[in-house]
Amino acid sequence: MAQQFYVSPEQIMKDRADFARKGIARGKSVVVLGCRDGIALVAENPSPTLHKIGEIYDRIAFAAVGKYNEFESLRQAGVRYADVRGYSYDRVDVTARGLASVYAQSLGTVFTAEQKPFEVELAVAEVGETESGDHIFRLNFDGSIADVSGFLAMGGQADIVQAALAALWQPGAGLGQVLRWAVAALESPHAQAAAGVAASGSAKPPVAGGAHLPAATLEVAVLERTAAAERGSHRAFRRLGDDEVASALAASS
Amino acid sequence: MGGQVGRGFPALEAGGTSSSFFDHVSRSNPELLPFRAGLPAGQLPATPHGTTIVALSFAGGVLMAGDRRATMGSMIANRHIEKVFPADRHSVLGIAGTAGIAVDIVRLFQVELEHYEKIEGTSLSLEGKANRLGAMIRANLPMALQGLSVVPLFAGVEAGDPSGRLFSYDVTGGRYEELEHHSVGSGSVFARGALKKLWRPGLTADEAVAVAVEALIDASDDDSATGGPDLVRQLWPVVYLVKADGAARVGQDALAAVVESIVARRMTERREA
């Protein structure tokens, strides 16, 4: 029988975290932003069917980056959790905080006990009556959880997107405005890459205007603050079609 | 060892692959279901029963209406009960029978449709919805044998298709498509007779509302368990219209006007209905 070498727990955890981080960094980014009209969730996602953003419950949405099969199973588990809870108690008793904490437990268990950690990062958003009543939770592959106020970016090169959002985002903006901010932030890593290429004198010319993400490459959904009053529906989640996104983005530019 | 933990996400069960909430709850939390097999034998005290539901098709969709009475033996258990519910955006269901179980079956069915839509990203076909409701009614069969039966009526439109469809059920979960109009519950025989005379092809939505309300008035005239419109308390039937653009409840003011015109006409005629 082969001799097992001692590996310190610190090293094991570090290896696992590095592995997960590498997997997440390969993907594209997702941003979640609060605004006057609700919470906007915007992902760079060329596929119209393999969603990174999903509806969980009446006022709760889910966004994820990383490996599709892993976050899709987490999304479905979240829908089951929310529906069972809402059915056995009441619809108002399903909260983003409760969901985020079971996600944190699951991710934490998988991180320490499974063969490999989940290569995912999740956001759970709940729209409130007012902007101050909104909740956005960020969940990491190791089960760590953070309560974010206002906006968050995750995925590949999330730090660049996050920095761009921090410079742009302000509370109280309209939906069209935050969508334009979101797209500008998602474009910023491309623009930096293009600038870097130009600076290094590469033969490849940068794309005009840095980089431009057309509506077809975006997945956009919104949790509408006034869905119950305006649409008469208890479900606040609504996907925006390409036309709607394109017209919102074109409004100012 | 790893697989063991994977199956047991502390609070999240990712194991199942089914898109059905009903199947999921049956497996993981069967005690949450409204029906449980193996009820011990015993004398059941009187429980509230829902009574008459009518449904009919009209040009551009389908309508369902129910009276507002629940009875417990010869007593009126409730005057305000609502027995017609939206199932999702494009379908409605009404229930007759043991009210306590029926209302929970409605809730289960509503979650079932929404759950499927969220998991799959697309909504069930109308036939699919009708079949799921049949499965739930069949699951209630042991309770029906103890006297706690629930009989629903289901109506809806396929998204994008303007013609509505009606489905009736029996206690074994048997599902039957109905044409033109149908009714269930204790007053259904009288309502059916009225519908046969009042319904005609190509009714407008407004005419359909008047036909449904009049059929319920006729049912309440002959069936003591069906409540007529209550002019004192201003209680009108619950009426839902399902069209291609979704299901919507008919407003109280519109119903009041319909009821008043029918009552006024009958008062001037002064006939045996």
Short mmCIF file of all heavy atoms in Angstrom, two decimals, chain A residues 55-58 72-81 83-84 86-89 91 102-103 105-106 109-110 113-114 118 234-235, chain B residues 1-3 5-6 9-14 16-19 21 24-25 28-29 32-34 104 107-108 111 114-115 117-120:
data_model
loop_
_atom_site.label_atom_id
_atom_site.label_comp_id
_atom_site.label_asym_id
_atom_site.label_seq_id
_atom_site.Cartn_x
_atom_site.Cartn_y
_atom_site.Cartn_z
N GLU A 55 -35.53 32.73 -11.80
CA GLU A 55 -36.52 33.11 -10.81
C GLU A 55 -36.53 32.04 -9.72
O GLU A 55 -36.53 30.85 -10.02
CB GLU A 55 -37.89 33.17 -11.49
CG GLU A 55 -39.04 33.44 -10.53
CD GLU A 55 -40.39 33.40 -11.23
OE1 GLU A 55 -40.46 32.93 -12.38
OE2 GLU A 55 -41.38 33.85 -10.63
N ILE A 56 -36.53 32.46 -8.46
CA ILE A 56 -36.64 31.51 -7.37
C ILE A 56 -38.04 31.56 -6.77
O ILE A 56 -38.71 30.54 -6.63
CB ILE A 56 -35.60 31.80 -6.27
CG1 ILE A 56 -34.19 31.63 -6.80
CG2 ILE A 56 -35.84 30.90 -5.06
CD1 ILE A 56 -33.71 30.22 -6.97
N TYR A 57 -38.49 32.76 -6.44
CA TYR A 57 -39.81 32.88 -5.82
C TYR A 57 -40.36 34.27 -6.11
O TYR A 57 -39.76 35.03 -6.86
CB TYR A 57 -39.69 32.62 -4.31
CG TYR A 57 -40.95 32.04 -3.72
CD1 TYR A 57 -41.40 30.79 -4.12
CD2 TYR A 57 -41.70 32.74 -2.78
CE1 TYR A 57 -42.56 30.26 -3.60
CE2 TYR A 57 -42.86 32.20 -2.25
CZ TYR A 57 -43.28 30.96 -2.66
OH TYR A 57 -44.44 30.43 -2.15
N ASP A 58 -41.49 34.59 -5.49
CA ASP A 58 -42.19 35.84 -5.77
C ASP A 58 -41.27 37.04 -5.97
O ASP A 58 -41.35 37.73 -6.96
CB ASP A 58 -43.16 36.17 -4.62
CG ASP A 58 -44.30 35.19 -4.58
OD1 ASP A 58 -44.36 34.32 -5.46
OD2 ASP A 58 -45.13 35.30 -3.65
N GLU A 72 -26.82 25.18 -11.97
CA GLU A 72 -28.19 24.83 -12.35
C GLU A 72 -28.81 23.89 -11.31
O GLU A 72 -29.97 24.02 -10.95
CB GLU A 72 -28.19 24.19 -13.74
CG GLU A 72 -29.55 23.68 -14.24
CD GLU A 72 -30.58 24.77 -14.46
OE1 GLU A 72 -30.25 25.95 -14.37
OE2 GLU A 72 -31.76 24.41 -14.69
N SER A 73 -28.01 22.95 -10.80
CA SER A 73 -28.56 22.07 -9.76
C SER A 73 -28.83 22.86 -8.49
O SER A 73 -29.81 22.60 -7.78
CB SER A 73 -27.64 20.88 -9.50
OG SER A 73 -26.53 21.27 -8.75
N LEU A 74 -28.02 23.84 -8.20
CA LEU A 74 -28.26 24.69 -7.03
C LEU A 74 -29.51 25.55 -7.23
O LEU A 74 -30.29 25.75 -6.30
CB LEU A 74 -27.05 25.59 -6.76
CG LEU A 74 -25.85 24.88 -6.13
CD1 LEU A 74 -24.59 25.72 -6.27
CD2 LEU A 74 -26.12 24.60 -4.66
N ARG A 75 -29.70 26.03 -8.45
CA ARG A 75 -30.90 26.85 -8.73
C ARG A 75 -32.17 26.01 -8.53
O ARG A 75 -33.11 26.43 -7.88
CB ARG A 75 -30.85 27.38 -10.16
CG ARG A 75 -32.02 28.31 -10.51
CD ARG A 75 -32.05 28.65 -11.99
NE ARG A 75 -32.44 27.51 -12.81
CZ ARG A 75 -33.70 27.14 -13.06
NH1 ARG A 75 -34.69 27.83 -12.56
NH2 ARG A 75 -33.96 26.09 -13.81
N GLN A 76 -32.14 24.78 -9.10
CA GLN A 76 -33.33 23.94 -8.97
C GLN A 76 -33.58 23.59 -7.51
O GLN A 76 -34.73 23.58 -7.06
CB GLN A 76 -33.16 22.67 -9.79
CG GLN A 76 -33.09 22.97 -11.28
CD GLN A 76 -33.23 21.72 -12.14
OE1 GLN A 76 -33.34 20.62 -11.62
NE2 GLN A 76 -33.21 21.90 -13.44
N ALA A 77 -32.51 23.32 -6.77
CA ALA A 77 -32.68 23.01 -5.36
C ALA A 77 -33.26 24.22 -4.63
O ALA A 77 -34.08 24.08 -3.72
CB ALA A 77 -31.35 22.61 -4.75
N GLY A 78 -32.85 25.41 -5.04
CA GLY A 78 -33.37 26.62 -4.42
C GLY A 78 -34.84 26.81 -4.70
O GLY A 78 -35.62 27.21 -3.82
N VAL A 79 -35.26 26.52 -5.93
CA VAL A 79 -36.69 26.62 -6.29
C VAL A 79 -37.49 25.62 -5.45
O VAL A 79 -38.56 25.95 -4.93
CB VAL A 79 -36.90 26.37 -7.80
CG1 VAL A 79 -38.37 26.23 -8.12
CG2 VAL A 79 -36.28 27.50 -8.62
N ARG A 80 -36.95 24.40 -5.28
CA ARG A 80 -37.66 23.40 -4.49
C ARG A 80 -37.77 23.85 -3.04
O ARG A 80 -38.84 23.78 -2.43
CB ARG A 80 -36.92 22.05 -4.53
CG ARG A 80 -37.02 21.41 -5.87
CD ARG A 80 -36.77 19.92 -5.83
NE ARG A 80 -36.79 19.47 -7.22
CZ ARG A 80 -35.70 19.34 -7.96
NH1 ARG A 80 -34.51 19.55 -7.45
NH2 ARG A 80 -35.80 18.98 -9.22
N TYR A 81 -36.66 24.35 -2.50
CA TYR A 81 -36.66 24.82 -1.12
C TYR A 81 -37.73 25.92 -0.94
O TYR A 81 -38.53 25.87 -0.01
CB TYR A 81 -35.27 25.37 -0.76
CG TYR A 81 -35.25 26.25 0.45
CD1 TYR A 81 -35.15 25.71 1.73
CD2 TYR A 81 -35.35 27.64 0.33
CE1 TYR A 81 -35.15 26.53 2.85
CE2 TYR A 81 -35.35 28.46 1.43
CZ TYR A 81 -35.25 27.91 2.69
OH TYR A 81 -35.27 28.71 3.79
N ASP A 83 -40.35 26.71 -2.86
CA ASP A 83 -41.74 26.28 -3.08
C ASP A 83 -42.26 25.44 -1.92
O ASP A 83 -43.42 25.59 -1.51
CB ASP A 83 -41.86 25.53 -4.41
CG ASP A 83 -41.99 26.49 -5.60
OD1 ASP A 83 -42.30 27.67 -5.37
OD2 ASP A 83 -41.80 26.05 -6.73
N VAL A 84 -41.42 24.56 -1.39
CA VAL A 84 -41.87 23.75 -0.24
C VAL A 84 -42.14 24.65 0.96
O VAL A 84 -43.16 24.52 1.64
CB VAL A 84 -40.82 22.67 0.12
CG1 VAL A 84 -41.15 22.04 1.46
CG2 VAL A 84 -40.75 21.62 -0.97
N GLY A 86 -42.83 27.92 0.97
CA GLY A 86 -43.99 28.77 0.72
C GLY A 86 -45.29 28.00 0.80
O GLY A 86 -46.32 28.53 1.21
N TYR A 87 -45.24 26.72 0.41
CA TYR A 87 -46.45 25.90 0.46
C TYR A 87 -46.78 25.50 1.89
O TYR A 87 -47.94 25.47 2.28
CB TYR A 87 -46.25 24.65 -0.41
CG TYR A 87 -47.42 23.69 -0.38
CD1 TYR A 87 -48.62 24.02 -1.00
CD2 TYR A 87 -47.33 22.49 0.29
CE1 TYR A 87 -49.69 23.16 -0.97
CE2 TYR A 87 -48.40 21.62 0.34
CZ TYR A 87 -49.58 21.96 -0.29
OH TYR A 87 -50.64 21.12 -0.24
N SER A 88 -45.75 25.20 2.69
CA SER A 88 -46.06 24.71 4.03
C SER A 88 -46.31 25.85 5.01
O SER A 88 -47.07 25.67 5.96
CB SER A 88 -44.95 23.80 4.54
OG SER A 88 -43.72 24.44 4.48
N TYR A 89 -45.69 27.02 4.80
CA TYR A 89 -46.01 28.18 5.64
C TYR A 89 -46.88 29.13 4.84
O TYR A 89 -48.05 28.86 4.64
CB TYR A 89 -44.73 28.87 6.12
CG TYR A 89 -43.85 27.99 6.98
CD1 TYR A 89 -42.63 27.55 6.53
CD2 TYR A 89 -44.26 27.59 8.24
CE1 TYR A 89 -41.83 26.74 7.31
CE2 TYR A 89 -43.48 26.78 9.03
CZ TYR A 89 -42.26 26.35 8.56
OH TYR A 89 -41.48 25.54 9.33
N ARG A 91 -46.60 32.36 1.50
CA ARG A 91 -45.71 32.93 0.48
C ARG A 91 -44.79 33.99 1.06
O ARG A 91 -43.64 34.12 0.64
CB ARG A 91 -46.54 33.52 -0.66
CG ARG A 91 -47.38 32.50 -1.40
CD ARG A 91 -47.82 33.01 -2.76
NE ARG A 91 -46.76 32.90 -3.72
CZ ARG A 91 -46.59 31.85 -4.52
NH1 ARG A 91 -47.41 30.83 -4.49
NH2 ARG A 91 -45.60 31.82 -5.37
N VAL A 102 -29.23 28.55 3.51
CA VAL A 102 -29.13 27.13 3.15
C VAL A 102 -28.16 26.91 2.00
O VAL A 102 -27.46 25.90 1.96
CB VAL A 102 -30.50 26.46 2.84
CG1 VAL A 102 -31.33 26.34 4.06
CG2 VAL A 102 -31.23 27.12 1.73
N TYR A 103 -28.09 27.90 1.09
CA TYR A 103 -27.07 27.80 0.04
C TYR A 103 -25.67 27.79 0.67
O TYR A 103 -24.80 27.04 0.26
CB TYR A 103 -27.18 28.98 -0.92
CG TYR A 103 -28.12 28.77 -2.09
CD1 TYR A 103 -28.88 29.81 -2.59
CD2 TYR A 103 -28.20 27.53 -2.72
CE1 TYR A 103 -29.73 29.63 -3.67
CE2 TYR A 103 -29.05 27.34 -3.79
CZ TYR A 103 -29.81 28.39 -4.27
OH TYR A 103 -30.64 28.21 -5.33
N GLN A 105 -24.80 26.82 3.62
CA GLN A 105 -24.54 25.52 4.26
C GLN A 105 -24.17 24.47 3.23
O GLN A 105 -23.22 23.69 3.40
CB GLN A 105 -25.77 25.05 5.01
CG GLN A 105 -26.05 25.82 6.27
CD GLN A 105 -27.41 25.46 6.85
OE1 GLN A 105 -27.84 24.32 6.74
NE2 GLN A 105 -28.08 26.42 7.42
N SER A 106 -24.92 24.44 2.11
CA SER A 106 -24.65 23.43 1.08
C SER A 106 -23.27 23.63 0.47
O SER A 106 -22.50 22.68 0.32
CB SER A 106 -25.70 23.52 -0.02
OG SER A 106 -26.95 23.23 0.49
N THR A 109 -20.54 22.65 2.91
CA THR A 109 -20.41 21.19 3.05
C THR A 109 -19.68 20.60 1.85
O THR A 109 -18.78 19.77 2.01
CB THR A 109 -21.80 20.55 3.16
OG1 THR A 109 -22.52 21.21 4.19
CG2 THR A 109 -21.70 19.08 3.48
N VAL A 110 -20.08 21.03 0.67
CA VAL A 110 -19.44 20.49 -0.54
C VAL A 110 -17.97 20.89 -0.57
O VAL A 110 -17.10 20.09 -0.93
CB VAL A 110 -20.18 21.00 -1.79
CG1 VAL A 110 -19.39 20.67 -3.06
CG2 VAL A 110 -21.56 20.38 -1.86
N ALA A 113 -16.16 18.60 2.18
CA ALA A 113 -16.33 17.15 2.24
C ALA A 113 -16.29 16.45 0.89
O ALA A 113 -16.06 15.25 0.84
CB ALA A 113 -17.64 16.82 2.93
N GLU A 114 -16.52 17.17 -0.20
CA GLU A 114 -16.61 16.48 -1.49
C GLU A 114 -15.24 16.34 -2.13
O GLU A 114 -14.26 16.97 -1.73
CB GLU A 114 -17.55 17.26 -2.41
CG GLU A 114 -19.01 17.13 -2.05
CD GLU A 114 -19.57 15.76 -2.36
OE1 GLU A 114 -19.24 15.20 -3.42
OE2 GLU A 114 -20.34 15.25 -1.53
N PHE A 118 -17.54 23.10 -5.53
CA PHE A 118 -18.30 23.69 -6.63
C PHE A 118 -17.52 24.88 -7.17
O PHE A 118 -17.06 25.72 -6.41
CB PHE A 118 -19.66 24.17 -6.12
CG PHE A 118 -20.71 23.09 -6.09
CD1 PHE A 118 -21.89 23.29 -5.39
CD2 PHE A 118 -20.52 21.89 -6.75
CE1 PHE A 118 -22.87 22.31 -5.36
CE2 PHE A 118 -21.50 20.90 -6.73
CZ PHE A 118 -22.67 21.11 -6.03
N HIS A 234 -48.10 38.17 -8.36
CA HIS A 234 -47.24 38.09 -7.18
C HIS A 234 -45.80 37.82 -7.56
O HIS A 234 -44.91 37.87 -6.74
CB HIS A 234 -47.76 37.02 -6.21
CG HIS A 234 -47.93 35.68 -6.85
ND1 HIS A 234 -49.13 35.24 -7.36
CD2 HIS A 234 -47.06 34.69 -7.09
CE1 HIS A 234 -48.98 34.04 -7.88
NE2 HIS A 234 -47.73 33.67 -7.74
N ARG A 235 -45.56 37.52 -8.84
CA ARG A 235 -44.21 37.20 -9.28
C ARG A 235 -43.52 38.44 -9.87
O ARG A 235 -43.93 38.94 -10.92
CB ARG A 235 -44.26 36.07 -10.31
CG ARG A 235 -44.73 34.78 -9.68
CD ARG A 235 -45.18 33.78 -10.70
NE ARG A 235 -44.06 33.21 -11.43
CZ ARG A 235 -44.22 32.26 -12.35
NH1 ARG A 235 -45.41 31.80 -12.64
NH2 ARG A 235 -43.17 31.78 -12.97
N MET B 1 -17.72 7.81 0.49
CA MET B 1 -18.02 8.73 1.59
C MET B 1 -18.48 10.06 1.05
O MET B 1 -19.43 10.66 1.50
CB MET B 1 -16.78 8.86 2.47
CG MET B 1 -16.70 10.18 3.20
SD MET B 1 -15.01 10.58 3.66
CE MET B 1 -14.73 12.09 2.85
N GLY B 2 -17.77 10.50 -0.05
CA GLY B 2 -18.12 11.80 -0.64
C GLY B 2 -19.54 11.82 -1.14
O GLY B 2 -20.28 12.76 -0.89
N GLY B 3 -19.93 10.75 -1.84
CA GLY B 3 -21.27 10.68 -2.42
C GLY B 3 -22.35 10.79 -1.36
O GLY B 3 -23.38 11.40 -1.58
N VAL B 5 -22.37 12.51 1.38
CA VAL B 5 -22.61 13.90 1.75
C VAL B 5 -23.32 14.63 0.62
O VAL B 5 -24.22 15.42 0.85
CB VAL B 5 -21.28 14.59 2.10
CG1 VAL B 5 -21.54 16.03 2.50
CG2 VAL B 5 -20.60 13.84 3.23
N GLY B 6 -22.94 14.29 -0.63
CA GLY B 6 -23.55 14.95 -1.78
C GLY B 6 -25.04 14.73 -1.82
O GLY B 6 -25.78 15.62 -2.18
N PHE B 9 -27.41 17.25 0.96
CA PHE B 9 -27.30 18.70 1.16
C PHE B 9 -28.14 19.00 2.38
O PHE B 9 -29.30 18.57 2.43
CB PHE B 9 -27.93 19.44 -0.02
CG PHE B 9 -27.05 19.56 -1.22
CD1 PHE B 9 -27.61 19.78 -2.45
CD2 PHE B 9 -25.68 19.45 -1.12
CE1 PHE B 9 -26.83 19.90 -3.57
CE2 PHE B 9 -24.90 19.57 -2.24
CZ PHE B 9 -25.47 19.79 -3.47
N PRO B 10 -27.64 19.74 3.31
CA PRO B 10 -28.38 19.88 4.57
C PRO B 10 -29.85 20.20 4.38
O PRO B 10 -30.71 19.49 4.87
CB PRO B 10 -27.65 21.02 5.26
CG PRO B 10 -26.27 20.96 4.72
CD PRO B 10 -26.37 20.44 3.32
N ALA B 11 -30.15 21.27 3.66
CA ALA B 11 -31.57 21.63 3.55
C ALA B 11 -32.06 21.61 2.12
O ALA B 11 -33.20 21.88 1.84
CB ALA B 11 -31.80 23.00 4.16
N LEU B 12 -31.17 21.32 1.18
CA LEU B 12 -31.55 21.37 -0.22
C LEU B 12 -31.46 19.97 -0.79
O LEU B 12 -30.42 19.35 -0.70
CB LEU B 12 -30.59 22.26 -1.00
CG LEU B 12 -30.56 23.73 -0.64
CD1 LEU B 12 -29.36 24.38 -1.27
CD2 LEU B 12 -31.81 24.41 -1.13
N GLU B 13 -32.50 19.48 -1.38
CA GLU B 13 -32.44 18.17 -2.00
C GLU B 13 -32.26 18.36 -3.50
O GLU B 13 -33.19 18.70 -4.21
CB GLU B 13 -33.72 17.38 -1.71
CG GLU B 13 -33.78 16.84 -0.31
CD GLU B 13 -32.61 15.92 0.03
OE1 GLU B 13 -32.12 15.23 -0.87
OE2 GLU B 13 -32.19 15.91 1.18
N ALA B 14 -31.07 18.14 -3.97
CA ALA B 14 -30.83 18.31 -5.41
C ALA B 14 -30.94 16.98 -6.13
O ALA B 14 -30.78 16.91 -7.33
CB ALA B 14 -29.46 18.92 -5.63
N GLY B 16 -33.42 14.76 -6.76
CA GLY B 16 -34.51 14.45 -7.69
C GLY B 16 -34.32 15.18 -9.00
O GLY B 16 -33.79 16.27 -9.06
N THR B 17 -34.78 14.58 -10.07
CA THR B 17 -34.69 15.24 -11.36
C THR B 17 -36.07 15.66 -11.85
O THR B 17 -36.21 16.21 -12.91
CB THR B 17 -34.07 14.30 -12.41
OG1 THR B 17 -34.81 13.08 -12.38
CG2 THR B 17 -32.62 14.04 -12.11
N SER B 18 -37.09 15.38 -11.05
CA SER B 18 -38.45 15.66 -11.50
C SER B 18 -38.72 17.16 -11.47
O SER B 18 -38.21 17.89 -10.64
CB SER B 18 -39.42 14.96 -10.57
OG SER B 18 -40.72 15.44 -10.80
N SER B 19 -39.55 17.61 -12.42
CA SER B 19 -39.95 19.02 -12.44
C SER B 19 -41.28 19.20 -11.73
O SER B 19 -41.85 20.28 -11.78
CB SER B 19 -40.10 19.49 -13.88
OG SER B 19 -38.98 19.15 -14.61
N PHE B 21 -43.62 19.51 -8.52
CA PHE B 21 -43.63 19.81 -7.09
C PHE B 21 -44.39 18.72 -6.33
O PHE B 21 -43.99 18.31 -5.24
CB PHE B 21 -44.30 21.16 -6.89
CG PHE B 21 -44.39 21.59 -5.44
CD1 PHE B 21 -43.28 22.03 -4.78
CD2 PHE B 21 -45.61 21.54 -4.77
CE1 PHE B 21 -43.36 22.43 -3.45
CE2 PHE B 21 -45.69 21.94 -3.45
CZ PHE B 21 -44.57 22.38 -2.79
N HIS B 24 -42.21 15.80 -5.88
CA HIS B 24 -41.15 16.13 -4.92
C HIS B 24 -41.67 16.08 -3.49
O HIS B 24 -41.05 15.49 -2.60
CB HIS B 24 -40.59 17.51 -5.25
CG HIS B 24 -39.61 18.01 -4.24
ND1 HIS B 24 -38.42 17.39 -3.99
CD2 HIS B 24 -39.66 19.06 -3.38
CE1 HIS B 24 -37.77 18.03 -3.04
NE2 HIS B 24 -38.51 19.05 -2.65
N VAL B 25 -42.83 16.71 -3.27
CA VAL B 25 -43.39 16.73 -1.91
C VAL B 25 -43.84 15.33 -1.49
O VAL B 25 -43.67 14.94 -0.34
CB VAL B 25 -44.55 17.75 -1.82
CG1 VAL B 25 -45.27 17.64 -0.50
CG2 VAL B 25 -44.02 19.15 -1.99
N SER B 28 -40.50 13.76 -0.45
CA SER B 28 -39.70 14.31 0.65
C SER B 28 -40.53 14.74 1.86
O SER B 28 -40.06 14.64 2.98
CB SER B 28 -38.88 15.49 0.14
OG SER B 28 -39.73 16.53 -0.28
N ASN B 29 -41.73 15.27 1.65
CA ASN B 29 -42.55 15.74 2.78
C ASN B 29 -44.00 15.30 2.61
O ASN B 29 -44.88 16.16 2.48
CB ASN B 29 -42.55 17.27 2.88
CG ASN B 29 -41.18 17.86 3.02
OD1 ASN B 29 -40.39 17.86 2.08
ND2 ASN B 29 -40.88 18.36 4.19
N LEU B 32 -47.11 17.00 4.15
CA LEU B 32 -47.61 18.31 3.74
C LEU B 32 -48.79 18.20 2.78
O LEU B 32 -49.50 19.17 2.55
CB LEU B 32 -46.51 19.11 3.03
CG LEU B 32 -45.38 19.66 3.89
CD1 LEU B 32 -44.38 20.39 3.01
CD2 LEU B 32 -45.93 20.61 4.93
N LEU B 33 -48.99 17.03 2.19
CA LEU B 33 -50.06 16.89 1.20
C LEU B 33 -51.42 16.92 1.88
O LEU B 33 -51.56 16.50 3.02
CB LEU B 33 -49.89 15.57 0.44
CG LEU B 33 -48.65 15.48 -0.44
CD1 LEU B 33 -48.50 14.09 -1.01
CD2 LEU B 33 -48.71 16.50 -1.55
N PRO B 34 -52.43 17.42 1.16
CA PRO B 34 -53.76 17.49 1.77
C PRO B 34 -54.38 16.12 1.99
O PRO B 34 -55.28 15.97 2.82
CB PRO B 34 -54.57 18.31 0.77
CG PRO B 34 -53.82 18.31 -0.49
CD PRO B 34 -52.38 18.08 -0.15
N ASP B 104 -56.84 23.15 -0.33
CA ASP B 104 -55.43 22.77 -0.31
C ASP B 104 -54.99 22.14 -1.62
O ASP B 104 -53.85 22.32 -2.05
CB ASP B 104 -55.15 21.81 0.85
CG ASP B 104 -54.58 22.55 2.04
OD1 ASP B 104 -54.71 23.80 2.07
OD2 ASP B 104 -54.01 21.90 2.94
N ARG B 107 -54.21 24.97 -3.87
CA ARG B 107 -52.91 25.56 -3.56
C ARG B 107 -51.78 24.67 -4.10
O ARG B 107 -50.82 25.17 -4.70
CB ARG B 107 -52.77 25.67 -2.04
CG ARG B 107 -52.50 27.08 -1.55
CD ARG B 107 -52.91 27.27 -0.10
NE ARG B 107 -52.47 26.24 0.81
CZ ARG B 107 -51.25 26.21 1.37
NH1 ARG B 107 -50.38 27.16 1.12
NH2 ARG B 107 -50.92 25.25 2.19
N LEU B 108 -51.93 23.38 -3.91
CA LEU B 108 -50.92 22.43 -4.40
C LEU B 108 -50.80 22.52 -5.92
O LEU B 108 -49.71 22.54 -6.48
CB LEU B 108 -51.31 21.02 -3.97
CG LEU B 108 -50.36 19.88 -4.34
CD1 LEU B 108 -49.02 20.07 -3.67
CD2 LEU B 108 -50.97 18.54 -3.95
N VAL B 111 -49.01 25.75 -7.03
CA VAL B 111 -47.56 25.65 -6.86
C VAL B 111 -46.98 24.69 -7.89
O VAL B 111 -45.91 24.95 -8.45
CB VAL B 111 -47.21 25.19 -5.43
CG1 VAL B 111 -45.70 25.04 -5.27
CG2 VAL B 111 -47.72 26.17 -4.41
N GLU B 114 -46.53 26.58 -11.19
CA GLU B 114 -45.49 27.60 -11.10
C GLU B 114 -44.11 26.95 -10.97
O GLU B 114 -43.13 27.40 -11.57
CB GLU B 114 -45.76 28.51 -9.89
CG GLU B 114 -44.86 29.70 -9.82
CD GLU B 114 -45.07 30.52 -8.56
OE1 GLU B 114 -46.23 30.77 -8.19
OE2 GLU B 114 -44.07 30.90 -7.95
N HIS B 115 -44.05 25.86 -10.20
CA HIS B 115 -42.80 25.14 -9.98
C HIS B 115 -42.26 24.61 -11.31
O HIS B 115 -41.08 24.78 -11.63
CB HIS B 115 -43.06 23.99 -9.01
CG HIS B 115 -41.84 23.26 -8.57
ND1 HIS B 115 -41.01 23.74 -7.60
CD2 HIS B 115 -41.31 22.09 -8.98
CE1 HIS B 115 -40.01 22.88 -7.42
NE2 HIS B 115 -40.17 21.88 -8.25
N GLU B 117 -42.87 25.69 -14.24
CA GLU B 117 -42.47 26.82 -15.09
C GLU B 117 -41.09 27.34 -14.68
O GLU B 117 -40.26 27.66 -15.53
CB GLU B 117 -43.53 27.91 -14.94
CG GLU B 117 -43.52 28.92 -16.04
CD GLU B 117 -44.55 30.01 -15.80
OE1 GLU B 117 -45.68 29.67 -15.39
OE2 GLU B 117 -44.22 31.18 -16.02
N LYS B 118 -40.83 27.38 -13.38
CA LYS B 118 -39.55 27.91 -12.92
C LYS B 118 -38.42 26.92 -13.20
O LYS B 118 -37.33 27.31 -13.60
CB LYS B 118 -39.61 28.22 -11.42
CG LYS B 118 -40.42 29.47 -11.12
CD LYS B 118 -40.28 29.92 -9.70
CE LYS B 118 -41.01 29.04 -8.75
NZ LYS B 118 -41.21 29.67 -7.42
N ILE B 119 -38.68 25.63 -12.98
CA ILE B 119 -37.62 24.64 -13.19
C ILE B 119 -37.31 24.49 -14.68
O ILE B 119 -36.17 24.47 -15.10
CB ILE B 119 -38.03 23.27 -12.61
CG1 ILE B 119 -38.22 23.36 -11.09
CG2 ILE B 119 -37.04 22.19 -13.00
CD1 ILE B 119 -36.98 23.22 -10.28
N GLU B 120 -38.36 24.40 -15.49
CA GLU B 120 -38.16 24.11 -16.90
C GLU B 120 -37.97 25.36 -17.76
O GLU B 120 -37.54 25.27 -18.90
CB GLU B 120 -39.38 23.34 -17.45
CG GLU B 120 -39.57 21.98 -16.80
CD GLU B 120 -38.57 20.95 -17.32
OE1 GLU B 120 -38.22 21.02 -18.50
OE2 GLU B 120 -38.15 20.11 -16.52
#
